[in-house]
Amino acid sequence: MVVTNYGKSQIALVVGGSAGITAPTYFIIGSGSGTALVTQTALLAAIDRQPVTSTDMSVTQKVKWTGDWTSSEISGTALTEFGMIISGGGLTGSLWSRSVIPAITFDGTNELRIEENWQIY
């Protein structure tokens, strides 16, 4: 997982006390490939997004976000990239992170759960 330049900028604003910063509230998935870069502002080929299902901050200096898709929502998807965004219309939003994985094709019999774990050093 790569935290994008936008994500790093937003974290700095929060630490600096800036008001009105929106934390990532959606997972976004796609079928794009290539290296995840800090300069990316969007997924290469966004397919769908879902609101964050849960956020866990119970461990000091860590946060875990979870996002879920049902088997019918994910059926037919060839997943190769995912990330976290703030809310936006459709498949848009400011990309906080991007991960690239080997392709997983969903046939309607499996659900999808994505967890992003961040630790602040």
Side-chain angles (χ1 to χ4, degrees):
M1 187 243 337
V2 169
V3 176
T4 64
N5 286 339
Y6 177 82
K8 292 175 186 178
S9 175
Q10 294 303 293
I11 292 166
L13 289 171
V14 168
V15 172
S18 182
I21 302 302
T22 303
T25 53
Y26 285 86
F27 276 96
I28 189 163
I29 60 172
S31 60
S33 61
T35 304
L37 304 171
V38 297
T39 55
Q40 290 171 318
T41 57
L43 292 186
L44 298 183
I47 297 170
D48 191 31
R49 71 181 197 154
Q50 292 284 2
V52 168
T53 306
S54 66
T55 304
D56 180 354
M57 297 175 284
S58 62
V59 177
T60 303
Q61 300 176 336
K62 293 183 180 183
V63 60
K64 177 174 76 174
W65 289 280
T66 303
D68 296 293
W69 280 258
T70 66
S71 58
S72 60
E73 290 170 327
I74 199 73
S75 180
T77 299
L79 174 66
T80 58
E81 63 177 339
F82 63 89
M84 294 196 68
I85 60 173
I86 61 172
S87 61
L91 297 177
T92 62
S94 299
L95 191 65
W96 280 62
S97 65
R98 179 173 180 248
S99 295
V100 178
I101 60 172
I104 301 171
T105 301
F106 292 85
D107 64 5
T109 61
N110 297 313
E111 297 177 340
L112 171 65
R113 169 167 281 173
I114 297 174
E115 292 181 351
E116 278 210 17
N117 295 280
W118 293 19
Q119 182 170 358
I120 308 301
Y121 294 97

